[in-house]
């Protein structure tokens, strides 16, 4: 009956597995777009704050223009995420090919 | 109200950054909703996610507030020895989970960790574990929520009650609506936001103390002294900051506690079960091991910087407790702008921790308690609904347990004790059951029960003053070790006296019986060498060993 590739059977698990065919998981969006978007926004805001930082702010951060650097780093990171998504878009998962059962 | 000394000087732009984050988190929850039609979509993201997403969610689920605040506090209190929690206390176990155990979890298609126990042993073992897991999760969710509220109160001046309700409402919204996909996607986002918040603190902190060498020199002059700079050197005895012998570190922390936590804690394993195929599931904890290797840079180093720069750090109560190491540095070093990002990162980490507890709870409650013992044979839509209500219940109970947590003075030690009581015997039962096919169902039940009871008794005897240990930490090392040994001995005694399960029932669940297919659902791209779980795992462990060299 069961061939070598089949694990032990359980009714509760099989029920859920059967529902897998109706899964809507393929409609899930790509998280890289959200990460990229949020970090680009953060990057722009913080970089602008950094450009207009006064001496007091720079002194507080031990003389480092931290807002400027952190802002630019976040901007670059956000753009990289968007670029990654643009270059390697997620391939939609193939519609459930049910494995030939035993 | 006290705590005004920690109040951060947040301006409108900082609040804009925080608000943007909250809006994004809720947006992710709503956007994930359209991908939910079945219970598997809700509880396991339809088993569809790529490995880098599940891997980052795996590490993020552990990057809760307790972890970040707690490990920075440990860094200030115990020095460099804190890295043991990462390099020996996490990475080997994560790699082991991916290479050795994941084929059984993912291959058997179980929907939760307790469910594995039902298939491998019997229903009583399953019920015992499902109930103890559910209870532990809502307790820990409460602790996370309370810690979140404390920080919001201290840093932003929000009333405790408001902070608890706002935090809970956001987590509730994105998990009830977006299910595990909502939780996991937000965890990935949180991972990056947490880092964006911690890196500036670390960088400016290091600039302030004169770089790495300056930090080392300065730490040698503090109350920790030279001993605070070495991870292994003084571990031949217990005369070191951590008060732990190397045997305790290697076997107690590195083996029993760490393997118990990482390999059997469903709040973690659930992330891997949502991966799209076997290869991605196995890579999940291993990909997570790489960020884990580097996280001490942004927790332990700020802890040491705080020790050096904040006068009087280490007070028993008030603003100068070790737990405030990172908030104090944020107050002293960050100008508006990055300050907003850092506060957002801190709040993100609290929500990540709580979301992991809640999404673990709703799955176990629905599949392992409700479906298995209360209402069987209902439609999938019914269980999906139960899951949503279980989420609401978990968050509401979490608000209640948050007020219980408020009654404990040292939360971190309470959590460690919980882990030694619940996770160590569970791991022993798992590891024997996975590798010894003769182990019987009855042996599984008694191993788990007696192991838990032994560890619990030791904890109570220690608390009652009957048995003495050098520190709470030493107690949890010993409690975990003893629970493990008990479970092994009980299994060895009961197994020969009871009837084994038939081989066909154990297919895909136990080593050496077959039924595990490592390549069946493999995608073309997964065959390349740099996606080999074994190779990636070996490199991670080797790096962990190498990282010890400069701080030996």
């Amino acid at each position: 009956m069961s061939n070598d590739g089949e694990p032990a059977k359980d009714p509760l698990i099989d029920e859920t597995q059967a529902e897998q065919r109706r899964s809507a998981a393929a409609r899930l969006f790509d998280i890289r777009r959200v990460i990229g978007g949020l970090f680009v926004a953060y990057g722009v805001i913080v970089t602008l704050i950094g450009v207009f930082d006064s001496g007091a702010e720079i002194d507080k951060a031990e003389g480092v223009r931290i807002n400027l650097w952190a802002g630019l780093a976040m901007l670059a990171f956000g753009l990289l995420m968007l670029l990654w998504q643009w270059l390697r878009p997620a391939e939609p998962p193939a519609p459930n090919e049910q494995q030939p059962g035993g | 109200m006290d705590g005004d000394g920690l109040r951060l000087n947040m301006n409108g732009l900082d609040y804009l950054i925080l608000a943007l984050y909250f809006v994004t988190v809720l947006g992710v929850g709503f956007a994930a909703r359209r991908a939910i039609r079945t219970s598997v979509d809700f509880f396991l993201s339809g088993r569809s996610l790529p490995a880098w997403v599940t891997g980052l969610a795996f590490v993020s689920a552990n990057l809760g507030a307790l972890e970040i605040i707690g490990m920075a506090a440990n860094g200030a209190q115990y020095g460099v020895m804190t890295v043991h929690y990462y390099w020996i206390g996490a990475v080997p176990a994560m790699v082991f989970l991916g290479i050795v155990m994941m084929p059984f979890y993912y291959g058997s298609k179980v929907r939760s960790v307790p469910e594995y126990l039902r298939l491998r042993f019997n229903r009583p073992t399953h019920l015992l574990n499902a109930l103890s897991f559910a209870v532990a999760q809502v307790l820990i969710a409460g602790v996370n929520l309370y810690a979140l509220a404390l920080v919001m109160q201290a840093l932003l001046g929000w009333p405790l009650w408001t902070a608890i309700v706002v935090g809970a409402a956001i987590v509730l919204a994105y998990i009830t609506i977006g299910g595990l996909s909502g939780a996991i996607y937000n965890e990935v986002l949180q991972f990056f936001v947490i880092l964006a918040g911690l890196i500036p603190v670390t960088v400016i902190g290091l600039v302030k103390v004169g770089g790495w060498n300056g930090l080392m020199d300065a730490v040698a002059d503090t109350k920790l002294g030279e001993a605070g700079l070495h991870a292994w050197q003084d571990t031949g005895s217990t005369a070191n900051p951590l008060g732990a012998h190397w045997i305790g570190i290697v076997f107690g922390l590195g083996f029993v506690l760490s393997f118990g936590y990482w390999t059997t804690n469903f709040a973690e394993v659930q992330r891997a079960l949502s991966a799209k195929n076997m290869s991605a599931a196995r890579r999940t904890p291993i990909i997570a091991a790489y960020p884990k290797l580097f996280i001490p840079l942004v927790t332990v180093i700020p802890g040491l910087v705080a020790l050096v720069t904040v006068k009087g750090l280490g007070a028993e109560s008030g603003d100068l407790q070790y737990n405030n190491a990172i908030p104090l540095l944020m107050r002293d070093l960050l100008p508006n702008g990055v300050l907003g990002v850092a506060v957002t990162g801190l709040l993100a980490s609290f929500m990540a921790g709580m979301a992991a507890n809640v999404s673990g709870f709703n799955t176990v409650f629905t599949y392992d308690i409700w479906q298995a013992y209360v209402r069987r044979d209902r439609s999938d839509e019914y269980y999906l609904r139960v899951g949503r209500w279980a989420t609401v219940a978990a968050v509401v109970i979490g608000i209640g347990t948050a007020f219980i947590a408020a009654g404990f003075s040292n939360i971190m030690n309470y959590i460690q004790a919980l882990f030694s009581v619940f996770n160590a015997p569970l791991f022993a039962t798992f590891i024997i059951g996975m590798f010894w096919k003769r182990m019987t169902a009855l042996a599984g039940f008694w191993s788990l029960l007696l192991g838990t009871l032994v560890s619990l008794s030791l904890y109570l005897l220690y608390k009652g003053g009957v048995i003495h240990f050098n520190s709470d930490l030493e107690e949890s090392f010993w409690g975990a070790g003893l629970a493990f040994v008990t479970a092994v001995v009980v299994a060895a005694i009961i197994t020969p006296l009871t009837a084994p399960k038939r081989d066909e029932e154990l297919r895909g669940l136990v080593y050496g019986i077959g039924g595990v297919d490592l390549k069946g659902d493999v995608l073309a791209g997964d065959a390349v060498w740099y996606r080999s779980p074994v190779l990636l795992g070996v490199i991670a462990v080797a790096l962990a060993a190498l990282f010890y060299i400069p701080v030996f």
Side-chain angles (χ1 to χ4, degrees):
Chain A
M1 291 285 278
S2 71
N3 67 32
D4 273 355
E6 287 292 302
K9 289 287 183 193
D10 178 81
L12 291 183
I13 294 177
D14 288 347
E15 255 170 52
T16 326
Q17 285 298 108
E19 291 290 333
Q20 186 85 334
R21 233 165 281 146
R22 295 196 304 123
S23 170
R27 300 170 66 189
L28 201 56
F29 60 95
D30 193 327
I31 187 63
R32 288 175 292 184
R33 195 180 311 158
V34 178
I35 298 171
L38 185 69
F39 271 82
V40 167
Y42 277 5
V44 170
I45 295 172
V46 176
T47 306
L48 283 177
I49 298 174
V51 169
F52 297 107
D53 263 347
S54 68
E57 270 107 26
I58 296 170
D59 287 347
K60 186 179 184 191
E62 301 295 317
V64 181
R65 298 203 67 142
I66 190 69
N67 274 329
L68 190 60
W69 292 117
L72 289 174
M74 287 192 287
L75 186 59
F77 174 78
L79 290 174
L80 271 179
M81 270 282 159
L82 294 177
L83 187 71
W84 179 25
Q85 195 214 347
W86 186 61
L87 290 178
R88 304 279 292 270
E91 64 267 43
N96 293 293
E97 64 275 70
Q98 281 303 103
Q99 294 191 358
Chain B
M1 259 201 292
D2 63 350
D4 271 10
L6 274 177
R7 184 73 50 82
L8 299 176
N9 188 16
M10 296 266 285
N11 68 14
L13 287 167
D14 293 324
Y15 273 108
L16 172 69
I17 288 170
L18 185 59
L20 258 182
Y21 175 73
F22 283 157
V23 169
T24 311
V25 162
L26 290 175
V28 167
F30 278 102
R33 183 193 172 92
R34 53 195 292 272
I36 295 174
R37 197 179 296 142
T38 69
S39 68
V40 181
D41 291 343
F42 186 76
F43 294 119
L44 294 173
S45 298
R47 299 191 205 263
S48 66
L49 299 176
W52 74 270
V53 168
T54 54
L56 290 180
F58 190 96
V59 74
S60 201
N62 167 258
L63 262 187
L66 294 166
E67 174 75 13
I68 291 188
I69 299 277
M71 286 303 159
N74 283 348
Q77 191 169 359
Y78 305 120
V80 164
M81 287 187 89
T82 307
V83 297
H84 289 316
Y85 284 98
Y86 298 86
W87 297 340
I88 192 164
V91 170
M94 294 160 96
V95 170
F96 183 82
L97 171 64
I99 294 179
V100 180
M101 292 176 73
M102 197 52 70
F104 300 113
Y105 279 141
Y106 195 87
S108 62
K109 293 289 172 205
V110 291
R111 301 163 300 174
S112 72
V113 167
E115 188 157 81
Y116 176 88
L117 290 176
R118 183 165 63 77
L119 299 192
R120 174 63 185 85
F121 299 115
N122 53 17
R123 287 162 69 88
T125 321
H126 172 234
L127 188 60
L128 176 65
N129 181 233
L131 289 175
S132 72
F133 176 81
V135 170
Q137 288 311 295
V138 288
L139 285 179
I140 300 173
V143 173
N144 268 314
L145 194 54
Y146 174 64
L148 164 76
L150 272 187
V151 167
M152 285 165 105
Q153 182 191 33
L155 301 186
L156 309 179
W158 295 19
L160 202 61
W161 171 252
T162 316
I164 286 183
V165 171
V166 168
I170 292 174
V171 172
L172 174 66
Y174 74 72
I175 300 184
T176 324
I177 297 167
L180 188 68
S181 305
I184 285 187
Y185 269 14
N186 274 322
E187 280 160 6
V188 177
L189 186 64
Q190 280 151 0
F191 172 78
F192 292 114
V193 175
I194 292 167
L195 283 186
L198 290 177
I199 290 172
V201 180
T202 310
V203 170
I204 301 178
L206 277 176
V207 170
K208 185 175 172 103
V209 295
W212 177 253
N213 290 329
L215 180 64
M216 295 292 102
D217 293 344
V219 169
D221 292 335
T222 62
K223 56 186 162 184
L224 262 182
E226 182 67 18
L229 301 175
H230 299 285
W232 291 109
Q233 211 171 59
D234 308 311
T235 55
S237 68
T238 53
N240 53 59
L242 207 54
H245 194 274
W246 68 266
I247 297 178
I249 296 173
V250 172
F251 292 100
L253 175 66
F255 184 59
V256 180
L257 275 182
S258 141
F259 277 63
Y261 174 81
W262 291 102
T263 63
T264 63
N265 183 351
F266 181 57
E268 292 291 339
V269 175
Q270 185 177 25
R271 272 80 202 141
L273 294 186
S274 66
K276 63 184 174 186
N277 61 14
M278 175 70 88
S279 168
R282 295 181 76 198
R283 272 180 288 136
T284 296
I286 298 171
I287 287 174
Y290 284 86
K292 192 74 184 167
L293 281 169
F294 293 95
I295 288 172
L297 291 178
V298 292
T299 56
V300 180
I301 290 180
L304 290 173
V305 170
L307 175 71
V308 171
T309 61
V310 180
K311 294 265 175 306
L313 186 72
E316 284 290 314
S317 60
D319 291 339
L320 293 177
Q321 296 173 53
Y322 285 121
N323 274 338
N324 289 334
I326 284 189
L328 284 166
L329 287 185
M330 282 163 52
R331 180 196 67 183
D332 292 344
L333 300 178
L334 295 186
N336 293 112
V338 283
L339 180 65
V341 179
V343 169
T344 306
L346 215 50
L347 297 189
S349 88
F350 287 96
M351 299 208 298
M354 182 178 178
N357 301 136
V358 171
S359 57
F361 172 88
N362 67 19
T363 308
V364 165
F365 179 83
T366 307
Y367 281 151
D368 294 295
I369 297 176
W370 201 259
Q371 188 185 29
Y373 299 99
V374 184
R375 290 272 183 277
R376 275 194 77 151
D377 299 324
R378 297 297 180 90
S379 68
D380 195 62
E381 284 78 11
Y382 173 81
Y383 295 114
L384 180 56
R385 244 186 348 264
V386 170
R388 287 208 155 103
W389 282 112
T391 312
V392 176
V395 173
V396 172
I397 300 172
I399 293 178
T401 55
F403 285 97
I404 297 178
F408 286 88
S409 62
N410 192 331
I411 295 169
M412 195 65 199
N413 288 342
Y414 168 61
I415 290 278
Q416 281 293 341
L418 266 183
F419 285 152
S420 73
V421 169
F422 289 114
N423 285 354
L426 183 57
F427 169 62
T429 311
F430 256 94
I431 201 73
I432 310 168
M434 260 181 194
F435 289 93
W436 190 30
K437 68 173 181 173
R438 177 71 177 77
M439 186 179 183
T440 63
L442 228 52
F445 178 75
W446 287 107
S447 283
L448 186 58
L449 185 63
L450 293 178
T452 309
L453 288 180
V454 162
S455 186
L456 185 64
S457 321
L458 190 73
Y459 177 71
L460 294 177
L461 287 175
Y462 166 68
K463 280 288 159 195
V466 183
I467 301 177
H468 175 76
F469 289 105
N470 285 329
S471 64
D472 291 358
L473 219 56
E474 203 194 9
E475 190 281 327
S476 57
F477 288 0
W478 277 101
L482 217 56
F484 186 86
V485 172
T486 307
V488 172
V489 171
V490 169
I493 294 175
I494 296 188
T495 292
L497 305 176
T498 43
K501 295 190 104 172
R502 289 177 299 118
D503 275 9
E504 301 87 83
E505 294 176 287
L506 298 178
R507 293 183 60 78
L509 301 168
V510 179
Y511 185 79
I513 299 195
V516 174
D517 188 359
L518 290 180
K519 302 248 159 64
D521 55 357
V522 84
L523 300 170
D526 288 340
V528 293
W529 62 269
Y530 58 84
R531 287 184 181 161
S532 151
V534 176
L535 180 72
L536 288 172
V538 169
I539 294 176
V541 173
L543 281 177
L546 278 178
F547 282 10
Y548 268 124
I549 293 174
V551 293
F552 185 82

